[in-house]
Amino acid sequence: MIETPELAGLPAACRQRLIPAPPRLSRLSAEWIANEGAQGIVFALFSEQPDAWQVCGHLARIGYGGHLFALSPALPNRRMVERELRSDYPALRLSVRPVLRF
């Protein structure tokens, strides 16, 4: 189970099956995901490393079918950001989740 402060806003059942996206997209392959055995991937909505749009684009290209959680600070309209991501990547099952600390 991932036990980091960044994931404090996610339910424990989610944290048990999640892996963090690696900082380099080249490592985020279908083989790596299968080897990790995760049912979901977490990553930062905003980041100096690959951000949510870059991670989602990469995962859409490799045909990822698990859950995605984009972790965010408090946003004025989280649902709007989630809708934009989903409209750009409709095949992905993703959720924007505010966390207690980032």
Side-chain angles (χ1 to χ4, degrees):
M1 177 187 315
I2 298 175
E3 290 291 348
T4 64
E6 295 83 15
L7 300 181
L10 292 176
C14 290
R15 293 193 313 267
Q16 291 174 356
R17 301 182 315 268
L18 297 177
I19 56 172
R24 291 187 9 229
L25 288 180
S26 61
R27 288 201 51 221
L28 190 55
S29 65
E31 181 181 7
W32 182 81
I33 294 166
N35 287 340
E36 291 293 321
Q39 295 176 0
I41 298 174
V42 296
F43 48 88
L45 180 64
F46 308 111
S47 177
E48 291 180 9
Q49 296 177 359
D51 67 13
W53 271 265
Q54 293 167 314
V55 172
C56 287
H58 178 75
L59 291 171
R61 281 189 297 280
I62 67 169
Y64 179 71
H67 293 281
L68 301 173
F69 295 94
L71 305 180
S72 74
L75 298 171
N77 193 341
R78 175 183 61 84
R79 299 248 185 242
M80 181 185 73
V81 174
E82 197 171 81
R83 276 193 309 272
E84 288 181 22
L85 270 170
R86 286 180 177 167
S87 71
D88 287 348
Y89 304 103
L92 298 178
R93 297 185 292 169
L94 64 96
S95 174
V96 174
R97 304 293 287 222
V99 293
L100 298 178
R101 289 188 286 175
F102 209 164

